[in-house]
Amino acid sequence: MAQTPSIPKGTRDFLPAETARRNYIFDTIREVFHRYGFQQVETPAMENLSTLLGKYGDEGDKLLFRILNSGDFLAGVPGDQLATRDSAAVVRSVADKGLRYDLTVPFARFIVQHRNDLVFPFRRYQIQPVWRADRPQKGRYREFYQCDCDMIGSDSLLNEAELVGIIDEVFRRLGLRTVVKINNRKVLAGIAEVIGQPQRITDITVAIDKMEKIGLEKVREELAEKGIPVEALARLEPLLMLSGDTGSKLLQLREILADSPAGMKGIAELETLFGYLEGFGLQTATELDLTLARGLHYYTGAIFEVKSLDEQIGSICGGGRYDDLAGIFGMPGVSGVGVSFGAERIYDVLTRLDLFPPHTGETTQLFFVNFGPREEAYILPVLARARQSGLRAEIYPDHDKMKKQLNYAHRKGIPWVALAGESEMAEGKVTLKNMVTGDQTLVTPEELIKIVGGAGINSEL
RNA sequence: GUGGAUGUAGCUCAGUAGGUUAGAGCGUCGGAUUGUGGUUCCGAAGGUCGUCGGUUCGAGCCCGAUCUUCCACCCCA
């Protein structure tokens, strides 16, 4: 036996049962997207690095998979870069393409490139894999699928509300109990402003994003390490500790952020959004979470994150408003907002909570045992008629032992087996065996199709 | 990118203080049953012990490197 082959770190194969379950998730999400009027697009796995670099922060740039240029890729590299083993410089010279890191940035590029062919405000969805050169962990892979929906070309907050509606419906259909956390980057900017540290918004948001995980003490330590003055910290803390329902938090914020125009704008946006949501009749809980920051730099308004209430696995869906992503690619003034569903994590949560429906896979309904050449000739037309009438049917390809053929049908979970040997052929009939009860009857081909077709609709096999 | 754990048959794992031909269960294949599956019984195949190198008379076991998987951090879906 040769060395067992393997696949790259952080990637996975999917067996038929897993694929069926994944498709159940994708199909559910897709249906909801359609219901809200979104249209599907696809973009290539690889993008030019100039498209990807600088959009996700330094950390994100490090996690980009780069694709080595074709041909003699070292020919144009300056000798001193090679001599000094300057990896960072060399990689810029030998790779100008990379695998996409998410679906949002390539979509911004797509919008700019195809603006003349699209109807704005444009609602698109996209279900494709993305790649990150991260170190794999539980619920974290190097290749994983994202299911994105975005509205672009409108800054109405009704779009934000619709996204929350989509989130609500997707997780309701999947049977998952979740909470949607909502915040606004302008409010975060206002907070940074009010405590006298407007330039430090990134450090501040990254740190307070960890509130829930590491607690106030550690957040305070981290911010102090980053050089935020003690007085600023003292003014920040009461903000993070705001309590009460969303309405009272907003009231308190209005007073605290009164001197920050950006902050007040953010509060107004949040008030409008939560106002819309009241009319949506959501089942999912929504809450204002001032510690929600999200790492991606391009967000400018609302930000969302969805957590499972029953499993700790990080966020299973996230997104936000980005006012100027298209601007980076030369199309300013086009605002967008979107969310991304993390299919892999949703899969893991559904698995652990045992929430998949019992039969997500479509197996064969009717199996024909192969008795040899003469019987094949007799059965093939019956098989064709079964398929024409909509049955999922197959014939065993070889004249193997009955035991082996029935075991194949059994292991594949096929509910009906048809046998036709000499005696059946003599009568122009087939023996139909029910693999659950073990019963078998002699029927005509017409009866066979009727029985399997009729039973297939409501049989719980 | 940093720190820690792990790696023995297709799968889950044993393997005693380094000592001849490395074991089990499950699965696979064959037979009992030449037209009847999930049970049972019998039998067989299957491993350069992740990889490379080192220590030793001798390494699955000790040491180093590397890769995989997992955990924590960073970050994130």
Side-chain angles (χ1 to χ4, degrees):
Chain A
M1 171 75 87
Q3 179 85 25
T4 313
S6 64
I7 53 176
K9 172 190 343 200
T11 65
R12 294 148 304 153
D13 287 326
F14 300 108
L15 297 172
E18 292 173 280
T19 305
R21 290 174 149 208
R22 288 165 62 81
N23 281 337
Y24 161 71
I25 296 173
F26 294 139
D27 291 346
T28 302
I29 291 172
R30 199 191 325 268
E31 271 173 40
V32 176
F33 286 169
H34 282 156
R35 182 153 299 188
Y36 279 74
F38 286 74
Q39 294 177 296
Q40 186 168 19
V41 307
E42 296 201 355
T43 63
M46 63 179 102
E47 292 276 350
N48 292 324
L49 279 175
S50 56
T51 299
L52 302 174
L53 251 14
K55 313 300 190 299
Y56 310 105
D58 293 342
E59 203 63 40
D61 285 355
K62 279 188 214 153
L63 298 181
L64 284 171
F65 274 109
R66 290 148 204 265
I67 296 170
L68 205 53
N69 291 342
S70 308
D72 188 3
F73 53 83
L74 281 181
V77 181
D80 56 323
Q81 289 181 3
L82 291 173
T84 56
R85 297 177 180 267
D86 184 348
S87 300
V90 171
V91 79
R92 280 193 292 275
S93 308
V94 301
D96 52 35
K97 297 176 294 296
L99 295 177
R100 62 165 169 255
Y101 178 91
D102 73 356
L103 300 178
T104 306
V105 167
F107 176 56
R109 186 228 87 218
F110 174 99
I111 285 293
V112 175
Q113 221 175 311
H114 301 287
R115 60 180 114 179
N116 294 327
D117 305 313
L118 300 170
V119 180
F120 290 95
F122 183 45
R123 300 183 156 217
R124 89 85 169 77
Y125 79 89
Q126 191 170 347
I127 299 177
Q128 289 190 277
V130 302
W131 294 269
R132 296 184 188 177
D134 209 352
R135 194 175 275 207
Q137 247 182 70
K138 203 72 177 173
R140 179 182 252 186
Y141 307 95
R142 291 184 131 183
E143 177 185 62
F144 62 97
Y145 273 74
Q146 290 192 329
C147 313
D148 272 36
C149 65
D150 289 78
M151 298 99 150
I152 194 152
S154 156
D155 53 16
S156 165
L157 291 161
L158 194 52
N159 295 319
E160 270 87 338
E162 292 246 274
L163 288 176
V164 179
I166 289 171
I167 290 169
D168 177 61
E169 184 153 354
V170 165
F171 290 116
R172 199 167 58 205
R173 287 189 185 200
L174 292 173
L176 261 184
R177 295 174 56 239
T178 55
V179 57
V180 183
K181 302 190 169 201
I182 300 172
N183 197 4
N184 192 297
R185 270 287 165 86
K186 295 188 180 79
V187 169
L188 292 171
I191 290 174
E193 209 175 306
V194 166
I195 66 170
Q197 302 290 321
Q199 306 306 316
R200 309 301 304 277
I201 176 155
T202 302
D203 285 337
I204 292 170
T205 54
V206 167
I208 67 177
D209 194 33
K210 296 175 194 161
M211 265 293 283
E212 193 185 339
K213 197 170 176 186
I214 63 178
L216 179 60
E217 270 308 310
K218 298 269 183 183
V219 170
R220 189 183 291 148
E221 277 173 35
E222 179 165 334
L223 284 170
E225 267 174 43
K226 292 257 168 72
I228 305 291
V230 184
E231 317 84 71
L233 284 180
R235 273 190 280 178
L236 176 63
E237 280 166 25
L239 278 161
L240 302 181
M241 298 273 95
L242 278 192
S243 57
D245 59 16
T246 297
S248 71
K249 278 185 191 166
L250 283 170
L251 276 177
Q252 296 172 69
L253 269 180
R254 269 198 173 281
E255 289 182 27
I256 301 168
L257 298 185
D259 294 333
S260 161
M264 293 307 278
K265 179 119 198 301
I267 292 170
E269 288 183 8
L270 284 169
E271 285 170 345
T272 306
L273 172 55
F274 280 105
Y276 276 132
L277 290 179
E278 277 173 31
F280 268 62
L282 303 177
Q283 286 191 1
T284 308
T286 57
E287 66 178 46
L288 170 61
D289 183 352
L290 289 172
T291 69
L292 171 61
R294 295 192 59 77
L296 294 179
H297 290 164
Y298 48 69
Y299 292 128
T300 52
I303 43 185
F304 308 100
E305 193 158 287
V306 181
K307 295 218 159 179
S308 162
L309 288 173
D310 301 304
E311 274 293 326
Q312 284 223 315
I313 192 168
S315 63
I316 53 179
C317 174
R321 163 75 65 180
Y322 41 91
D323 283 326
D324 203 33
L325 199 48
I328 298 169
F329 298 111
M331 189 176 169
V334 182
S335 185
V337 62
V339 291
S340 176
F341 291 82
E344 325 294 333
R345 286 190 178 173
I346 292 172
Y347 180 95
D348 288 346
V349 173
L350 291 180
T351 301
R352 264 181 263 172
L353 297 175
D354 198 21
L355 287 175
F356 281 105
H359 28 275
T360 42
E362 296 220 317
T363 188
T364 303
Q365 295 164 286
L366 177 59
F367 174 81
F368 289 88
V369 172
N370 188 328
F371 282 97
R374 282 191 47 211
E375 291 84 350
E376 278 174 9
Y378 173 77
I379 216 69
L380 251 24
V382 183
L383 171 63
R385 287 221 322 263
R387 287 176 175 153
Q388 274 159 21
S389 50
L391 297 180
R392 299 186 296 271
E394 64 175 302
I395 181 169
Y396 199 79
D398 304 300
H399 178 203
D400 275 340
K401 283 186 183 158
M402 178 83 102
K403 179 185 170 91
K404 193 166 178 183
Q405 299 195 38
L406 283 181
N407 194 234
Y408 169 88
H410 170 72
R411 292 197 51 185
K412 244 184 123 172
I414 299 172
W416 297 99
V417 170
L419 306 94
E422 256 177 63
S423 56
E424 285 89 350
M425 291 193 335
E427 292 186 64
K429 295 189 171 175
V430 297
T431 295
L432 179 63
K433 179 180 175 78
N434 180 321
M435 290 294 277
V436 178
T437 61
D439 298 340
Q440 49 189 65
T441 47
L442 193 62
V443 297
T444 65
E446 292 74 28
E447 289 169 328
L448 171 129
I449 288 168
K450 227 166 122 186
I451 294 171
V452 175
I457 293 167
N458 46 24
S459 72
E460 290 291 321
L461 293 169

